[in-house]
Amino acid sequence: MKIYKNIFPQIISLENLFSAWNNFRKGKQKKLDVQKFECNLEQNIFQLHRDLKNKTYKHGSYSNFYIKDPKIRHIHKATVRDRILHHAIFKILSPIFDPTFISNSFSCRVGKGTHKGINTLDKIIRQTSNNSFKPCFILKCDIKKFFDSINHSILLNIIRKRIKDDDALWLLEIVIKSFTSQHSTLFEQNGLPIGNLTSQLFANIYLNEFDQFVKHTLRIKHYIRYTDDFVIVANDKLFLEKIIAHLNYFLTEKLFLKLHPNKVTIRKSSQGTDFLGYILFPHYRLLRTKTKQRIFKKLEKRIWEYKNGIISKQTLEQSLQSYLGVLSHANTYHLQQKLKNQFWFQLKEKTTAKNSDTLYCN
């Protein structure tokens, strides 16, 4: 195992902080808090650098709000200054830890993602079932309240195995302990905020322990994980039933996590596998109903933003292409046509409204 002893200077360097700012600000230029920070950009970055160098840095508080995507999620938003630091930390830590992750961990990693994950699962099911000529079963599991339950002490101990830089560990501890969930106790601090970029990396570092257990201790060949959802594919249903206890034991004893009791299922591949927004069948793929509803609602919102001058037509068309890209990974020809029809119908409405306004003014 490679050990890293001098990464703190890399994290807090002015070059890394300004690079973090450039990465952070993309798509956020119109945000008021971002604009205020940018008004005194150099002064703010230099002050952040001094606070880190002198070890007087303190993480700010979080604002919070709820989003529906499609289930309700509680998002905690750090200040601009803190989020820039999160990007700076991520840039240095990600190349250290990402190579240690298994290839079938698909969440928040360069070159991975939902589409790579679902395509890999499709390929595994086809191989295991010999194109539906052999019995094939899929165990699907979900970790209960994952982000809220991540234990700070366990996470820091995992990080300490590879990072031997006291200053860097001081900073990481500040960031990790800047947030505690309602699942914390007087003796144990738990929880990572969903809104932090660092939380995505820390979540993968945390569950990499579980991934390694599944692959190297249980020696399970066909395993895929995306954040707190994972699937295991096998020909033997009894085998899958037996390993559930082993999976839950490791999560509970080593990581203080639990499988969600209502989200552990074993299904035949012929019944369809619901994973990452898609439903896989032996010879075709559908989009999950909630995913379809979410796409149409998002497009409706983007059209409203365009009508009210919040976004440009180019941005609206880019959103449409993005949604069509999601649909293109399933058998959704008619759905794609429906989405396009909604798009052009709404645009026609806007054009008609503009012409009407012009005639009225004249």
Side-chain angles (χ1 to χ4, degrees):
M1 179 187 295
K2 187 174 181 180
I3 302 299
Y4 295 82
K5 296 183 177 180
N6 194 32
I7 63 170
F8 186 67
Q10 299 176 48
I11 294 173
I12 71 167
S13 71
L14 287 169
E15 180 183 3
N16 192 43
L17 292 176
F18 275 106
S19 176
W21 158 255
N22 289 329
N23 289 330
F24 161 76
R25 70 187 292 269
K26 292 175 183 176
K28 304 183 184 72
Q29 293 92 329
K30 293 184 180 180
K31 301 288 185 180
L32 184 60
D33 55 350
V34 176
Q35 291 175 351
K36 285 182 177 179
F37 191 92
E38 192 169 17
C39 284
N40 297 293
L41 178 61
E42 290 192 1
Q43 179 182 338
N44 288 330
I45 295 292
F46 274 90
Q47 185 60 55
L48 175 59
H49 171 72
R50 284 193 294 270
D51 290 346
L52 291 166
K53 185 177 180 180
N54 298 330
K55 298 181 74 174
T56 57
Y57 167 79
K58 293 183 179 179
H59 198 286
S61 59
Y62 291 86
S63 58
N64 65 91
F65 55 94
Y66 291 89
I67 62 169
K68 192 174 182 180
D69 187 38
K71 66 181 180 181
I72 296 176
R73 297 182 185 277
H74 196 185
I75 305 298
H76 291 81
K77 179 182 174 182
T79 65
V80 171
R81 166 183 160 100
D82 294 327
R83 283 184 283 164
I84 291 169
L85 177 60
H86 298 164
H87 276 261
I89 291 172
F90 184 90
K91 186 176 180 181
I92 303 302
L93 287 194
S94 184
I96 293 173
F97 286 96
D98 193 84
T100 69
F101 301 154
I102 65 170
S103 60
N104 281 0
S105 169
F106 287 96
S107 174
C108 305
R109 298 178 64 194
V110 176
K112 301 292 184 177
T114 56
H115 296 144
K116 285 284 183 68
I118 199 67
N119 288 338
T120 300
L121 177 59
D122 195 8
K123 183 179 179 181
I124 287 174
I125 291 174
R126 290 176 186 274
Q127 290 176 343
T128 306
S129 67
N130 193 19
N131 287 325
S132 302
F133 284 100
K134 287 184 179 180
C136 179
F137 299 90
I138 294 91
L139 168 64
K140 185 172 182 290
C141 300
D142 179 281
I143 297 172
K144 187 176 182 180
K145 298 190 180 298
F146 171 57
F147 279 97
D148 282 347
S149 302
I150 291 175
N151 183 274
H152 292 177
S153 297
I154 294 175
L155 174 59
L156 285 165
N157 285 336
I158 295 170
I159 293 173
R160 288 189 186 104
K161 294 177 184 177
R162 193 165 290 269
I163 304 297
K164 301 296 183 183
D165 182 332
D166 289 340
D167 292 334
L169 290 169
W170 163 80
L171 179 58
L172 295 177
E173 185 169 358
I174 286 177
V175 173
I176 290 170
K177 292 188 175 182
S178 66
F179 173 85
T180 54
S181 72
Q182 61 182 356
H183 295 276
S184 298
T185 67
L186 184 63
F187 306 102
E188 296 288 347
Q189 289 184 307
N190 299 320
L192 294 177
I194 294 177
N196 284 5
L197 176 65
T198 49
S199 295
Q200 299 172 4
L201 176 60
F202 291 150
N204 275 335
I205 291 172
Y206 201 78
L207 276 185
N208 185 51
E209 301 292 300
F210 179 66
D211 296 340
Q212 300 298 332
F213 168 74
V214 171
K215 295 297 291 183
H216 300 296
T217 302
L218 296 182
R219 297 183 179 277
I220 292 173
K221 184 178 181 181
H222 299 312
Y223 164 79
I224 293 177
R225 181 179 63 80
Y226 191 97
T227 314
D228 56 345
D229 293 326
F230 63 89
V231 294
I232 297 173
V233 183
N235 298 113
D236 188 351
K237 183 180 180 182
L238 184 60
F239 166 76
L240 294 177
E241 291 174 347
K242 287 181 177 179
I243 64 170
I244 293 173
H246 296 285
L247 300 173
N248 206 30
Y249 178 83
F250 183 91
L251 288 171
T252 303
E253 295 298 317
K254 302 297 183 180
L255 299 177
F256 293 5
L257 301 173
K258 291 182 179 179
L259 292 177
H260 197 300
N262 299 327
K263 295 182 179 180
V264 176
T265 60
I266 299 177
R267 293 170 62 89
K268 293 180 180 178
S269 59
S270 59
Q271 293 177 297
T273 305
D274 188 341
F275 192 57
L276 302 182
Y278 297 90
I279 303 176
L280 291 180
F281 289 93
H283 303 293
Y284 62 99
R285 184 185 306 179
L286 298 179
L287 205 64
R288 185 190 294 164
T289 301
K290 289 183 179 179
T291 307
K292 285 188 280 188
Q293 293 171 345
R294 187 162 71 247
I295 286 175
F296 277 89
K297 284 182 180 179
K298 282 185 176 180
L299 181 61
E300 185 177 342
K301 181 183 177 183
R302 297 302 268 175
I303 292 171
W304 180 89
E305 290 173 341
Y306 169 61
K307 284 183 175 182
N308 288 274
I310 299 172
I311 62 173
S312 66
K313 185 177 180 180
Q314 182 183 4
T315 301
L316 176 61
E317 289 175 343
Q318 287 173 346
S319 296
L320 173 65
Q321 293 306 316
S322 175
Y323 303 144
L324 290 173
V326 173
L327 296 178
S328 70
H329 290 269
N331 300 84
T332 57
Y333 173 79
H334 294 294
L335 201 60
Q336 291 181 51
Q337 298 308 308
K338 184 178 179 181
L339 193 71
K340 290 176 184 177
N341 289 339
Q342 176 180 325
F343 176 79
W344 292 115
F345 177 76
Q346 294 286 358
L347 278 188
K348 186 178 179 181
E349 272 192 339
K350 178 174 174 63
T351 303
T352 304
K354 275 188 173 180
N355 292 338
S356 299
D357 289 345
T358 303
L359 291 169
Y360 179 81
C361 291
N362 289 337

